Amino acid sequence: GVLNSKFIDTKIKPLQPRGDFGPRSIHKLPFDFPIPKFESNNKYHKKISEISLECHRKASKELDGLLSSYKSIGVLRSKIRDYLNEELAQIDECVKTIMED
């Protein structure tokens, strides 16, 4: 959940090399930020984990239908992100909170 958050994405964008289709090569860049270790008693960590699991379930089901219509990984990622918009927004709020503490 943390690695796929908009918060981390925004932080790494300026550090990424640019290619013909925009920023690329994220590799280890997200790990350059102080992502806290998971703590099961932290309500934000638990919420990120729970929502991430739900996103995985929902995305798996949605992806089955999308694979026959779209072949581009970029398009598929975009469609899934649109589909999970509310959940991803909740994860992002939690990530902002834990990263700014």
Side-chain angles (χ1 to χ4, degrees), residues 6-28:
K6 196 174 283 189
F7 182 87
I8 294 292
D9 185 53
T10 301
K11 296 288 186 186
I12 66 172
K13 285 286 187 237
L15 305 174
Q16 289 180 265
R18 296 201 54 89
D20 291 338
F21 301 104
R24 55 189 326 127
S25 303
I26 72 162
H27 303 292
K28 296 179 184 178

Side-chain angles (χ1 to χ4, degrees), residues 27-42:
H27 303 292
K28 296 179 184 178
L29 287 175
F31 298 105
D32 288 344
F33 296 91
I35 298 171
K37 188 173 182 172
F38 180 79
E39 296 176 14
S40 60
N41 61 341
N42 182 305

Side-chain angles (χ1 to χ4, degrees), residues 40-87:
S40 60
N41 61 341
N42 182 305
K43 69 179 181 179
Y44 298 106
H45 291 201
K46 284 176 66 171
K47 189 171 181 180
I48 292 167
S49 175
E50 290 165 1
I51 297 170
S52 295
L53 284 172
E54 182 61 24
C55 285
H56 177 75
R57 286 186 202 104
K58 287 178 71 174
S60 293
K61 288 179 185 175
E62 185 71 6
L63 192 58
D64 287 340
L66 292 173
L67 284 173
S68 61
S69 302
Y70 303 97
K71 301 300 178 204
S72 164
I73 294 294
V75 172
L76 288 169
R77 283 178 51 87
S78 179
K79 295 285 183 189
I80 293 294
R81 283 190 172 278
D82 289 346
Y83 178 65
L84 299 173
N85 188 47
E86 287 182 36
E87 292 88 348

